[in-house]
């Protein structure tokens, strides 16, 4: 495929921004998190893999409702009902694949993108050479337990009680509460500071984020509360890499269960890195990814 940015028109009439970087015969489609996040932490993925001695063509895109792609009017109940669903975003991945002419490719999904990567590997696995699930578990209840433990690592019980009170009263804009969330973000989301992913103001995607996640990464009040996928892990039959930060919001105990349940899976971790470990410690993150791609390409990959 040619490199650079390209706008594609979906069958529903909406437009998505895509970008392809790098060169080579290995093709990697990268899904961002949020939901309602954006492509930015994948911008240097092709360069990072090149540093590891591997030529990979990396394609990223902003999902519907995110950054450079179209922003539907989600205040319209019919639009929200149609497009704010797991099914829509999963099928969107395959439409993007088809319109960009991708096949026999690798799919990497970060966080919410890891939800889509797991589901895609089950529903559309015939198109995949391999799957990479980056910082996403298969069981949301384990994630909720983990983020509650992370609060306990940082704050005294009095501050945790204050945060719970704000959440119970829907007082998420409380200044002290937001300062607490930022402390948690720096410890478990973006440990490399200043983080290049921060912006002067929030840049969109909030309707999608609020619908699925909630106000922030340390509460789950949206549709993601429904995420339970363990019974389907055995249906992910292609080589699979599970990659997590060692200081991630996502629990490594659950990642170890996933590694056992997926037939051909390897689990790797990135030290001194949180949820966005491709940014916190890119040298280690991309070495793990390059090793996986190289082994699958060479027919030597073995799950662990």
């Amino acid at each position: 495929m040619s490199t650079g940015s390209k706008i594609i028109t979906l069958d529903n009439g909406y437009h998505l921004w895509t970008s392809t970087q790098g060169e080579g015969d290995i093709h990697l489609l990268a899904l961002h998190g949020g939901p309602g996040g954006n492509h930015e932490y994948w911008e240097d993925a092709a360069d990072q893999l090149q540093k590891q001695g591997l030529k990979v063509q990396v394609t990223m895109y902003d999902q519907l409702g995110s950054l450079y792609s179209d922003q539907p009017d989600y205040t319209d109940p019919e639009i929200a009902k149609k497009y704010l669903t797991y099914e829509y975003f999963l099928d969107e991945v395959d439409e993007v694949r088809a319109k960009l002419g991708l096949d026999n490719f690798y799919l990497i999904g970060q966080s919410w993108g890891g939800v889509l990567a797991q589901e895609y590997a089950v529903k559309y696995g015939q198109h995949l050479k391999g799957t990479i699930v980056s910082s996403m578990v298969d069981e949301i209840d384990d994630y909720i337990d983990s983020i509650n433990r992370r609060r306990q690592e940082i704050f005294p019980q009095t501050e945790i009680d204050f945060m719970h009170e704000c959440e119970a009263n829907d007082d998420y804009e409380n200044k002290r509460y937001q300062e607490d969330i930022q402390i948690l973000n720096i410890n478990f989301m973006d440990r490399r500071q200043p983080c290049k992913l921060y912006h002067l103001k929030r840049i969109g995607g909030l309707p999608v984020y609020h619908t699925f996640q909630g106000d922030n990464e340390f509460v789950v009040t949206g549709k993601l509360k429904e995420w339970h996928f363990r019974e389907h892990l055995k249906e992910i039959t292609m080589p699979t890499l599970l990659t997590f930060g060692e200081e991630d919001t996502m629990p490594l105990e659950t990642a170890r269960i996933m590694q056992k349940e997926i037939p051909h899976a390897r689990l790797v971790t990135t030290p001194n890195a949180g949820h966005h470990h491709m940014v916190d410690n890119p040298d280690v993150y991309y070495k793990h990814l390059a090793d996986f791609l190289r082994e699958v390409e060479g027919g030597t990959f073995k799950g662990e």
Side-chain angles (χ1 to χ4, degrees), residues 191-260:
R191 290 175 64 84
R192 174 178 270 187
Q193 295 291 319
C195 178
K196 66 180 182 180
L197 301 178
Y198 290 174
H199 292 262
L200 294 176
K201 62 178 291 183
R202 301 194 78 164
I203 53 176
L206 289 180
V208 186
Y209 186 80
H210 289 160
T211 296
F212 284 91
Q213 173 80 18
D215 178 81
N216 62 75
E217 292 297 294
F218 296 88
V219 292
V220 183
T221 57
K223 291 185 178 183
L224 276 169
K225 291 174 71 174
E226 309 161 3
W227 172 246
H228 310 286
F229 202 66
R230 185 155 298 164
E231 66 184 56
H232 298 292
L233 292 183
K234 292 188 182 302
E235 301 170 49
I236 301 175
T237 57
M238 69 289 300
T240 301
L241 181 69
L242 307 169
T243 176
F244 289 71
E246 292 185 2
E247 302 300 330
D248 211 318
T249 53
M250 297 289 170
L252 289 178
E253 313 90 81
T254 304
R256 294 185 184 102
I257 294 172
M258 296 172 69
Q259 189 273 325
K260 292 177 182 178

Side-chain angles (χ1 to χ4, degrees), residues 10 47 69 79 102 104 113 129 140 146 161 248 269 296:
L10 300 175
D47 291 342
S69 292
I79 290 177
L102 290 170
N104 200 29
K129 272 185 160 181
I140 201 65
S146 177
D161 291 342
D248 211 318
T269 62
V296 176

Side-chain angles (χ1 to χ4, degrees), residues 130-302:
T131 304
I132 303 98
V133 178
S134 180
S135 287
M136 188 63 213
V137 293
D138 62 323
E139 174 52 67
I140 201 65
D141 292 343
D142 292 357
Y143 169 70
I144 292 171
D145 290 343
S146 177
I147 54 180
N148 286 330
R149 289 195 302 270
R150 289 306 198 186
R151 294 192 199 207
Q152 293 170 345
E153 293 176 25
I154 299 297
F155 297 123
Q157 189 59 46
T158 52
E159 196 64 21
I160 295 172
D161 291 342
F162 165 77
M163 296 183 74
H164 287 160
E165 181 180 354
C166 288
E167 290 158 3
N169 295 327
D170 200 25
D171 187 19
Y172 292 106
E173 296 305 314
N174 182 285
K175 184 175 184 293
R176 177 175 154 193
Y177 177 84
Q178 287 298 318
E179 289 172 350
D180 287 345
I181 291 298
Q182 182 61 2
I183 291 170
L184 292 171
N185 285 338
I186 290 171
N187 278 275
F188 305 116
M189 293 294 295
D190 302 297
R191 290 175 64 84
R192 174 178 270 187
Q193 295 291 319
C195 178
K196 66 180 182 180
L197 301 178
Y198 290 174
H199 292 262
L200 294 176
K201 62 178 291 183
R202 301 194 78 164
I203 53 176
L206 289 180
V208 186
Y209 186 80
H210 289 160
T211 296
F212 284 91
Q213 173 80 18
D215 178 81
N216 62 75
E217 292 297 294
F218 296 88
V219 292
V220 183
T221 57
K223 291 185 178 183
L224 276 169
K225 291 174 71 174
E226 309 161 3
W227 172 246
H228 310 286
F229 202 66
R230 185 155 298 164
E231 66 184 56
H232 298 292
L233 292 183
K234 292 188 182 302
E235 301 170 49
I236 301 175
T237 57
M238 69 289 300
T240 301
L241 181 69
L242 307 169
T243 176
F244 289 71
E246 292 185 2
E247 302 300 330
D248 211 318
T249 53
M250 297 289 170
L252 289 178
E253 313 90 81
T254 304
R256 294 185 184 102
I257 294 172
M258 296 172 69
Q259 189 273 325
K260 292 177 182 178
E261 291 292 320
I262 298 172
H264 307 288
R266 172 184 297 166
L267 171 63
V268 295
T269 62
T270 305
N272 192 27
H275 193 55
H276 294 142
H277 48 310
M278 74 287 286
V279 175
D280 288 342
N281 194 343
D283 289 344
V284 173
Y285 181 91
Y286 282 101
K287 182 182 187 305
H288 288 152
L289 179 54
D291 288 346
F292 170 75
L293 296 174
R294 194 178 285 112
E295 290 174 27
V296 176
E297 287 293 303
T300 61
F301 174 79
K302 294 181 180 179

